[in-house]
Amino acid sequence: MLKLNWTIIFLLLLIMSSLAQSNPAYEIVKKSDNLIHGRSSYGDLEMTVKNPYFERTLKMKVWNESRKKVFIRILYPAKEAGIGTLKIGSEMWNYLPAIEKVIKIPPSMMMVPWMGSDFSNEDIVRDSSIVEDYDHRIMTEEVVEGSRLYKIEALPKPAAPVVWGKIYFWVRKSDDVPIRKEYYDEKGKLVKLLEYKDVKPMGGRIVPTFMVMRSLLKEKSMTALRIIKCQYDLAIPNNIFSLRNLQTTK
């Protein structure tokens, strides 16, 4: 009898998983995410951080594999050249060449801004979590600047290791291109918004090549991220995603 109960439970879990995977909203979010990142990618990016106190631009190279591994190397400006960030799964390390030290980022620092930007360490480490850690539903269809968009609500799954209370996600109906994300805290307050712009061919696909993240908790603060060039679905040597490579700046 006990064996039968476990069999029934297992079958129910399979059915529930199948239903989740066939959820139209889930499929839209997954396709949109895959469009932006591919199975793997390598590119040159430029990040500009603006706030009332300073403005600066960083140039970097970024490697991504299956959204589980990310490696970032800062190239410019000279005083920050060589700084690296490595993500493997849910773990993250920074390398500071000025002191020749690798620093592992603890959970308590996940919401700290990455390189002084409006992107946090959490955004880098758990960027794929909107697919994996949330339940999705299509709320409405809207027309914005002549494009029909799905507005999708993403609510965290029980016990999911995420910080957001909910995320709203706008995706173009015709081609799954993301247009906007809104991030809300657990009290329902809008904290950050991400806009995708300048949609054009890049690396054999049509993608947004310019993104703007705004933190609504900081006055007149924004970070613009431009993709200069990018290749998708290529083989990346596994040694790229290593602590040894993190400390190699040449």
Side-chain angles (χ1 to χ4, degrees):
M1 185 67 178
L2 182 61
K3 183 177 180 181
L4 178 61
N5 287 342
W6 278 112
T7 301
I8 293 173
I9 291 171
F10 178 71
L11 290 174
L12 287 173
L13 289 173
L14 285 178
I15 293 171
M16 292 172 65
S17 176
S18 176
L19 289 173
Q21 299 296 313
S22 63
N23 176 0
Y26 168 86
E27 294 297 335
I28 293 167
V29 172
K30 183 178 180 181
K31 288 178 182 178
S32 182
D33 184 76
N34 287 338
L35 175 70
I36 295 295
H37 299 96
R39 293 188 301 274
S40 64
S41 62
Y42 163 69
D44 293 339
L45 283 73
E46 185 175 279
M47 174 184 284
T48 300
V49 183
K50 296 182 180 180
N51 61 45
Y53 309 103
F54 66 86
E55 176 178 337
R56 66 174 182 156
T57 297
L58 304 173
K59 294 182 181 180
M60 66 195 79
K61 291 186 178 292
V62 180
W63 292 259
N64 151 66
E65 184 175 271
S66 303
R67 312 299 311 286
K68 304 300 182 183
K69 299 178 181 179
V70 176
F71 183 81
I72 304 171
R73 179 72 74 195
I74 304 297
L75 305 178
Y76 173 91
K79 67 177 182 179
E80 292 170 312
I83 291 176
T85 294
L86 172 65
K87 165 205 166 180
I88 300 177
S90 60
E91 296 185 298
M92 180 178 180
W93 300 263
N94 285 337
Y95 174 65
L96 306 178
I99 58 175
E100 299 183 345
K101 188 174 182 180
V102 172
I103 299 174
K104 186 171 183 180
I105 307 302
S108 61
M109 292 184 65
M110 282 298 102
M111 293 305 291
V112 171
W114 183 79
M115 297 299 295
S117 72
D118 293 281
F119 291 90
S120 66
N121 291 324
E122 173 78 10
D123 294 326
I124 295 174
V125 171
R126 301 205 58 81
D127 187 39
S128 63
S129 70
I130 191 171
V131 179
E132 302 168 353
D133 295 330
Y134 290 80
D135 292 318
H136 313 86
R137 71 180 181 98
I138 298 174
M139 298 184 68
T140 60
E141 290 189 25
E142 303 175 2
V143 177
V144 178
E145 297 181 355
S147 295
R148 184 167 292 278
L149 311 178
Y150 289 116
K151 180 182 179 181
I152 295 174
E153 181 184 60
L155 297 177
K157 295 178 179 178
V162 298
V163 300
W164 303 117
K166 65 181 175 183
I167 300 174
Y168 288 149
F169 194 22
W170 283 262
V171 183
R172 214 155 65 179
K173 186 176 181 179
S174 61
D175 53 12
D176 301 311
V177 169
I179 299 299
R180 180 183 176 98
K181 285 182 186 176
E182 292 182 352
Y183 300 84
Y184 293 79
D185 64 18
E186 294 180 347
K187 296 181 179 179
K189 182 178 180 179
L190 178 60
V191 176
K192 295 200 299 187
L193 62 90
L194 178 62
E195 296 177 293
Y196 298 84
K197 303 173 181 288
D198 200 8
V199 179
K200 64 182 181 182
M202 176 73 70
R205 57 184 68 191
I206 305 296
V207 295
T209 60
F210 187 66
M211 287 149 274
V212 178
M213 178 73 89
R214 302 181 191 275
S215 174
L216 303 184
L217 301 181
K218 302 176 186 177
E219 184 180 0
K220 298 179 181 178
S221 178
M222 59 85 71
T223 298
L225 188 64
R226 183 175 295 280
I227 303 174
I228 307 302
K229 63 179 181 180
C230 192
Q231 297 173 277
Y232 298 93
D233 300 334
L234 70 166
I236 300 177
N238 197 50
N239 62 4
I240 291 291
F241 307 103
S242 68
L243 290 173
R244 182 175 182 178
N245 185 48
L246 185 62
Q247 300 174 73
T248 304
T249 59
K250 295 183 180 179

